[in-house]
């Protein structure tokens, strides 16, 4: 067993260890990462040959967390891990996006990367370590891979940039970024911020990159020691250089001319498709000596070469003439149109269209009972702001069935959620669900979701702190050229054929979320800063257009929105409001028609009362406040007679609080029995609280003080109690538990000696 261990140190002195050669030795590459008590196993396996006809990188990354890692049982009936949850999918995407661009462009074998969380103590965050572990497994294999990478989380805490902060430290962070990079270039960024500046974002990226460099050096050393720096040979593409040159010679200029026409999406695609179809028809006529299978291979090669031509045409038009596919300037935003309340019954709704991308977003407001329970391996919490993003096939004109929610939809929805969630007031009592239906798509539907979501929230009357807009930026930069172009509000084709997809969301005062994927080498921080400042101008333009539709949240919610009142009660009254087995709170809900929820947090009871109308809410609040009210001496109460005794009656002045109305305090006249006053159980009486016994806490009530005193009434003097003299001291009792027959000789002491 050849076990090799390497260690790297973080800027604050903590260490991360990579070990290989002990477990999962049948995989092409395997590495165990340890940081404190957190342990991850990463493995990679690749097929020896590519599936015929594959012209893309078939990479699959799966990150999974085992509940046993934290000493927990999985929830649910089966008590075992099931399909990946949203957080696992999001972590898988982070790793995938950093790894995918670094495989050779002509390598098409299936590659499967699996990362498993095996141990975690809730201190360190494992998702920040998954990318490092995955790349280390690649370094331990002979699978072709251009550069090693790593990923770190960088957070700004009290003005300082912290690499891979603990879960506890994150509570004080105003930036939370995941950064993936090679030793030389940043490849992937995703995260959220509390309205920070573009310069602060760049500073965070620089801090992350400095921490990543030694991690890449470690993997390079590991590969050399294992001998896996020499990668396996492959031959996944068969190229016909003569055909490649023919396509370039014959189709470059016609494609350039189509690009100059600035056609809309489908017309442009049809024109480009016809150009290739005409060439293939002409090629087939000139090569009748080839079999059908041979022609099919040539058609596949021709499509690949034509893709390169279209890519070069698009890039040269932009770099040489500043002309984009739809005719815009590099910093120009497509036409924007929006509308609020297009739907009558949702609590809030909005349409936002930018160019050929359209989002219909709806906002639903619910109670605390509608919160989402998050029960992950390390975190168990509730979410009261949800955002779901749907991308039906018709949005791009595709003729196919819509299946379940895919990884892309989860990722795009999460980015929009991050951009908006910081602008929801913490004391807003409603649970919020935004749903974005993408009805048309040609570039940056996630940013359209942010814009439509803001409008829908304001239409619903959610008092957002500030409105948020979003934009997607692109980059065109050819290797070896100084010339480059930054594109605002990119099209789908500009994303596909370009070098960068950089999305930012923010208010007028700063960034709230970002996502960046880089496909080229040598992206400098100077270019990145220019892209960020151009994005800021674009976001402000979009936000101004949005504010023309609705400039602030509606003052009144729509009639169909359930009304909610939230307030706090002392912690000691929570049990009284709930009652034994929930009896009290259930009865209040039945009597008033309101929904009542109560939680203990921060040392108080937090109550929400919701109902379709104000009367139900007022009735429920009155009942709750009566339970938690503290009786005050001198106050008059409308009480209910609970029991009648020979010496008076007990009156419930507040729920669960009874006082004695002595027979002498019922009326000014002398009563021999309570019944003489006509009082019986269930009667309502007005009484005044005269005294609270300081020792027992019992309440002394009076009814007669509320009645008019008869004219000439004279208070009868009370006879003084006779002096009984000094009492003899009681004899000391002896302990008799378990000794029943030990004291039969002294039965007068009170022991029963049967």
């Amino acid at each position: 067993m050849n076990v090799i261990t390497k260690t790297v140190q973080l800027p604050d002195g903590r260490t991360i260890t990579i070990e290989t050669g002990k477990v999962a030795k049948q995989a092409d590459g395997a590495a165990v990462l340890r940081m404190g008590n957190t342990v991850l196993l990463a493995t990679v396996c690749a097929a020896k040959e590519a599936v015929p006809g594959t012209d893309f990188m078939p990479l699959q990354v799966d990150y999974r967390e085992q509940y046993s890692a934290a000493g927990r049982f999985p929830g649910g009936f089966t008590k075992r891990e099931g399909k990946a949850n949203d957080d696992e999918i999001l972590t898988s995407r982070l790793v995938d996006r950093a790894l995918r661009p670094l495989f050779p462009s002509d390598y098409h074998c299936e590659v499967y990367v699996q990362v498993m969380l095996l141990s975690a103590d809730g201190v360190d965050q494992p998702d920040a370590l998954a990318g490092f572990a995955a790349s280390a497994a690649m370094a331990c294999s002979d699978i072709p891979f251009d550069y090693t990478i790593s990923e770190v989380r960088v957070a700004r805490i009290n003005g300082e940039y912290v690499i891979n902060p603990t879960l506890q430290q994150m509570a004080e962070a105003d930036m939370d970024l995941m950064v993936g990079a090679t030793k030389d270039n940043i490849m992937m960024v995703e995260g959220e911020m509390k309205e920070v500046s573009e310069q602060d974002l760049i500073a965070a990226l620089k801090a992350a990159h400095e921490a990543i460099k030694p991690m890449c050096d470690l993997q390079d050393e590991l590969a050399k020691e294992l001998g896996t720096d020499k990668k396996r040979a492959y031959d996944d593409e068969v190229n016909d250089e003569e055909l490649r040159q023919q396509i370039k010679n014959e189709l470059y200029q016609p494609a350039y001319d189509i690009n100059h026409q600035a056609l809309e999406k489908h017309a442009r695609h049809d024109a480009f498709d016809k150009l290739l179809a005409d060439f293939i028809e002409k090629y087939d006529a000139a090569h009748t000596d080839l079999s059908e299978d041979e022609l099919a291979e040539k058609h596949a090669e021709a499509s690949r070469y034509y893709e390169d031509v279209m890519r070069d045409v698009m890039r040269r038009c932009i770099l040489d003439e500043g002309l984009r596919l739809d005719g815009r300037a590099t910093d120009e935003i497509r036409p924007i149109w929006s509308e609020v309340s297009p739907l009558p019954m949702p609590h809030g709704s909005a349409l936002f269209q930018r160019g050929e991308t359209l989002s219909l977003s709806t906002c639903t407001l619910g109670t605390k009972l509608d919160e989402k329970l998050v029960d992950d391996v390390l975190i168990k919490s509730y979410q009261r702001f949800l955002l779901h993003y749907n991308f039906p096939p018709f949005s791009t004109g595709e003729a196919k069935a819509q299946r379940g929610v895919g990884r892309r939809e989860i990722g795009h929805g999460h980015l929009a959620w991050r951009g908006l969630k910081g602008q929801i007031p913490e004391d807003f009592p409603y649970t919020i669900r935004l749903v974005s239906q993408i009805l048309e798509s040609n570039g940056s539907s996630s940013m359209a979701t942010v814009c439509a979501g803001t409008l829908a929230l304001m239409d619903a009357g959610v008092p957002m702190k500030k409105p948020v807009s979003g934009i997607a930026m692109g980059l065109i930069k050819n290797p070896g050229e100084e010339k480059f172009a930054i594109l605002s509000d990119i099209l789908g084709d500009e994303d596909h054929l370009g070098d960068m997809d950089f999305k930012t969301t923010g208010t007028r005062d700063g960034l709230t979320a970002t996502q960046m994927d880089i496909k080229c080498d040598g992206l400098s921080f100077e270019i990145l800063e220019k892209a960020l400042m151009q994005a800021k101008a674009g976001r402000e333009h979009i936000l101004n257009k949005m504010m023309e539709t609705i400039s602030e949240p509606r003052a009144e919610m729509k009639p169909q929105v359930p009304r909610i009142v939230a307030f706090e009660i002392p912690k000691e009254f929570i049990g009284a409001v709930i009652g034994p087995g929930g009896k009290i709170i259930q009865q209040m809900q039945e009597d008033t028609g309101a929904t009542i929820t109560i939680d203990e947090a921060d040392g108080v009871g937090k109550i929400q009362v919701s109902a379709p109308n104000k009367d139900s809410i007022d009735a429920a609040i009155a009942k709750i406040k009566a339970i938690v009210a503290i009786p005050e001496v001198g106050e008059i109460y409308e009480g209910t007679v609970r029991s009648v005794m020979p010496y008076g009656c007990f009156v419930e002045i507040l729920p669960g609080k009874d006082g004695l109305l002595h027979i002498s305090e019922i009326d000014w006249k002398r009563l021999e029995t309570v019944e003489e006053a006509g009082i019986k159980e269930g009667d309502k009486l007005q009484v005044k609280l005269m005294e609270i016994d300081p020792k027992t806490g019992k309440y002394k009530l009076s009814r007669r003080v509320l009645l008019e005193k008869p004219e000439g009434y004279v208070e009868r003097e009370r006879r003084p109690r006779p002096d009984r003299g000094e009492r003899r001291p009681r004899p000391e009792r002896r302990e008799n538990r378990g000794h029943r027959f030990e004291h039969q000789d002294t039965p007068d002491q009170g022991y029963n000696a049967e």
Side-chain angles (χ1 to χ4, degrees):
M1 185 182 295
N2 181 27
V3 179
I4 300 176
T5 302
K6 299 283 185 181
T7 300
V8 66
Q9 194 172 64
L10 295 179
D12 61 2
R14 291 177 297 160
T15 59
I16 300 175
T17 299
I18 297 291
E19 179 185 271
T20 189
K22 183 181 289 186
V23 299
K25 294 187 290 294
Q26 295 187 48
D28 287 330
V32 174
L33 181 149
R34 295 174 185 266
M35 181 177 178
N37 291 324
T38 297
V39 180
L40 291 153
L41 169 64
T43 63
V44 58
C45 291
K48 301 300 182 183
E49 296 181 358
V51 175
T54 303
D55 60 355
F56 62 95
M57 179 61 234
L59 171 67
Q60 177 76 32
V61 177
D62 272 313
Y63 169 80
R64 295 298 183 95
E65 295 182 344
Q66 302 295 313
Y67 276 79
S68 59
R72 293 186 56 203
F73 275 80
F77 181 75
T78 61
K79 295 298 179 185
R80 70 175 296 168
E81 289 80 5
K83 67 176 185 178
N85 60 37
D86 284 3
D87 285 339
E88 290 170 323
I89 288 171
L90 292 168
T91 302
S92 299
R93 280 174 51 85
L94 290 174
V95 177
D96 184 303
R97 286 163 44 207
L99 291 180
R100 187 176 293 273
L102 300 175
F103 287 91
S105 61
D106 58 349
Y107 182 66
H108 304 312
C109 291
E110 292 182 327
V111 178
Y112 292 88
V113 176
Q114 291 185 292
V115 184
M116 290 189 290
L117 175 65
L118 302 180
S119 174
D121 60 1
V123 176
D124 297 306
Q125 302 179 81
D127 60 340
L129 306 170
F132 187 11
S135 181
M138 289 291 305
C140 294
S141 77
D142 65 346
I143 299 170
F145 196 63
D146 290 337
Y147 306 100
T148 56
I149 63 107
S150 188
E151 290 181 358
V152 297
R153 170 176 272 109
V154 57
R156 188 171 66 177
I157 301 169
N158 299 324
E160 299 291 329
Y161 294 105
V162 180
I163 303 300
N164 289 351
T166 64
L167 279 165
Q168 186 176 3
Q169 287 177 307
M170 288 305 298
E172 302 174 4
D174 65 353
M175 297 178 69
D176 176 11
L177 296 173
M178 290 286 288
V179 181
T182 67
K183 185 162 58 174
D184 299 318
N185 298 299
I186 290 178
M187 305 302 300
M188 184 281 302
V189 178
E190 180 156 340
E192 61 188 77
M193 297 141 280
K194 295 181 179 178
E195 296 182 280
V196 307
S197 69
E198 283 74 9
Q199 289 73 25
D200 290 340
L201 174 58
I202 290 175
L205 297 181
K206 289 180 178 179
H209 198 199
E210 287 304 312
I212 285 173
K213 289 177 181 178
M215 299 178 186
C216 295
D217 289 336
L218 177 150
Q219 296 173 66
D220 293 338
E221 293 172 9
L222 184 61
K224 285 182 181 178
E225 195 165 337
L226 290 169
T228 53
D229 54 332
K230 301 292 189 291
K231 301 300 182 181
R232 70 178 66 164
Y234 65 93
D235 186 13
D236 294 348
E237 286 187 1
V238 177
N239 289 302
D240 184 338
E241 295 301 329
E242 183 180 345
L243 177 59
R244 187 199 299 269
Q245 191 61 42
Q246 182 182 356
I247 288 176
K248 185 175 182 179
N249 293 340
E250 295 186 20
L251 301 186
Y252 185 90
Q253 189 58 47
Y256 203 96
D257 295 339
I258 292 173
N259 200 89
H260 262 253
Q261 296 176 32
L263 301 172
E264 61 87 23
K265 176 182 174 181
H266 289 290
R268 183 171 64 250
H269 286 181
D270 290 344
F272 280 129
D273 291 346
K274 185 177 186 304
L275 194 60
L276 177 61
D278 290 346
F279 174 85
I280 288 177
E281 183 179 355
K282 177 183 172 184
Y283 183 87
D284 289 353
H287 294 81
T288 55
D289 56 319
L290 298 178
S291 66
E292 288 188 9
D293 290 342
E294 290 173 326
L295 285 175
E297 290 180 7
K298 295 300 180 184
H299 294 171
E301 292 175 33
S303 296
R304 192 166 70 245
Y305 303 149
Y306 184 54
E307 179 88 3
D308 294 338
V309 168
M310 288 193 296
R311 183 175 184 273
D312 193 36
V313 162
M314 187 270 289
R315 298 165 75 86
R316 291 265 51 104
C317 277
I318 292 173
L319 291 173
D320 298 339
E321 304 180 49
L323 180 67
R324 297 170 66 176
L325 287 170
D326 58 355
R328 284 182 291 150
T330 55
D331 61 350
E332 187 177 349
I333 311 299
R334 289 174 289 178
I336 292 171
W337 168 82
S338 60
E339 176 186 347
V340 293
S341 292
L343 302 175
M345 290 310 295
H347 300 161
S349 59
L351 284 165
F352 177 85
Q353 181 152 26
R354 186 194 59 248
E356 296 165 298
T357 297
L358 171 64
S359 169
L360 168 63
S361 289
T362 57
C363 175
T364 305
L365 303 178
T367 69
K368 189 171 183 62
L369 297 176
D370 297 308
E371 289 181 338
K372 177 186 175 182
L373 169 63
V374 178
D375 187 13
D376 293 339
V377 171
L378 293 177
I379 297 175
K380 188 170 184 178
S381 62
Y382 288 89
Q383 281 185 4
R384 66 183 190 92
F385 174 50
L386 312 175
L387 192 151
H388 296 143
Y389 164 102
N390 297 317
F391 193 85
F394 67 76
S395 64
T396 56
E398 292 183 85
K400 68 177 186 180
Q402 184 170 5
R403 304 300 182 190
V405 178
R407 291 188 171 198
R408 179 183 178 278
E409 290 172 295
I410 291 172
H412 280 47
H414 184 70
L415 175 61
W417 173 81
R418 283 182 137 175
L420 291 169
K421 74 183 182 75
Q423 301 308 310
I424 306 297
E426 291 79 5
D427 58 353
F428 188 61
Y430 289 88
T431 298
I432 304 170
R433 181 180 183 236
L434 276 178
V435 178
S436 173
Q437 301 284 355
I438 304 303
L439 305 184
E440 300 176 32
S441 179
N442 184 14
S444 193
S445 55
S446 62
M447 296 298 95
T449 295
V450 171
C451 299
T454 293
L455 297 175
L457 286 166
M458 293 199 294
D459 181 52
V462 176
M464 293 185 71
K465 298 175 186 177
K466 297 169 189 173
V468 182
S469 61
I471 191 172
M473 307 295 292
L475 173 71
I476 303 298
K477 186 180 185 301
N478 287 329
E481 287 189 38
E482 293 294 326
K483 191 183 296 184
F484 67 91
I486 296 170
L487 311 179
S488 295
D489 180 22
I490 57 174
L491 303 171
D493 287 340
E494 290 172 335
D495 178 10
H496 175 63
L497 300 173
D499 296 314
M500 179 178 74
D501 179 13
F502 192 5
K503 302 181 178 75
T504 65
T505 71
T507 68
R508 294 192 190 279
D509 298 323
L511 295 162
T512 59
T514 187
Q515 183 184 92
M516 180 176 72
D517 293 307
I518 301 296
K519 307 170 191 174
C520 66
D521 296 335
L523 178 64
S524 67
F525 284 105
E526 289 74 20
I527 294 176
L528 191 56
E529 184 173 9
K530 183 176 180 180
L532 280 166
M533 299 313 296
Q534 189 169 317
K536 181 180 180 181
R539 282 200 323 272
E540 290 176 350
H541 169 78
I542 294 169
L543 191 57
N544 290 336
K545 290 291 185 181
M546 292 163 57
M547 295 303 97
E548 292 175 7
T549 301
I550 181 170
S551 60
E552 59 185 20
R554 296 193 187 278
E556 293 290 333
M557 294 179 178
K558 297 180 181 179
Q560 61 267 38
V561 177
R563 268 41 184 178
I564 294 180
V565 174
F567 57 97
E568 296 177 354
I569 63 171
K571 176 182 176 181
E572 57 267 24
F573 288 110
I574 294 176
V577 173
I578 296 174
K583 181 178 179 181
I584 301 296
I585 196 170
Q586 290 171 9
Q587 188 63 49
M588 285 193 291
Q589 292 182 113
E590 184 178 334
D591 293 343
T592 63
T595 299
I596 304 169
T597 62
I598 181 168
D599 285 305
E600 181 185 336
D602 303 325
V604 297
K606 295 183 179 290
I607 290 183
Q608 278 194 8
V609 181
S610 62
N613 59 75
K614 186 174 183 297
D615 291 342
S616 293
I617 290 179
D618 290 344
I621 291 174
K623 287 180 177 290
I624 294 170
K625 289 190 172 180
I627 293 174
V628 303
I630 300 175
E632 297 182 20
V633 173
E635 286 293 315
I636 298 171
Y637 297 95
E638 179 81 20
T640 303
V641 178
R642 291 303 184 195
S643 61
V644 177
M645 310 298 288
Y647 49 83
C649 59
F650 286 95
V651 181
E652 185 181 52
I653 57 174
L654 290 171
K657 297 177 177 65
D658 294 353
L660 174 62
L661 178 61
H662 193 268
I663 192 170
S664 63
E665 293 293 335
I666 294 176
D667 205 331
W668 290 104
K669 67 180 181 180
R670 180 180 175 83
L671 299 173
E672 295 297 332
T673 63
V674 175
E675 285 77 6
E676 285 184 41
I679 295 174
K680 58 185 181 297
E681 288 186 14
D683 285 354
K684 300 288 186 182
L685 295 179
Q686 271 204 336
V687 293
K688 184 175 182 178
L689 178 57
M690 304 300 294
E691 181 185 342
I692 301 176
D693 190 297
K695 292 183 178 179
T696 64
K698 293 180 179 179
Y699 307 126
K700 179 182 178 183
L701 309 176
S702 176
R703 176 174 174 265
R704 71 172 186 165
V705 297
L706 303 178
L707 304 175
E708 186 177 351
K709 184 186 290 187
E711 189 175 347
Y713 176 82
V714 177
E715 190 78 43
R716 187 173 58 182
E717 291 186 9
R718 295 184 180 274
R719 289 179 297 179
R721 291 184 176 182
D723 187 3
R724 299 181 181 179
E726 187 176 346
R727 293 185 177 181
R728 291 182 302 169
R730 292 184 178 181
E732 185 177 342
R733 291 189 176 184
R734 300 179 184 178
E735 191 63 48
N736 70 326
R737 292 178 186 171
H739 306 281
R740 189 166 187 170
F741 299 101
E742 288 184 7
H743 305 283
Q744 294 185 19
D745 56 331
T746 55
D748 59 313
Q749 294 285 334
Y751 296 96
N752 185 358
E754 297 177 348

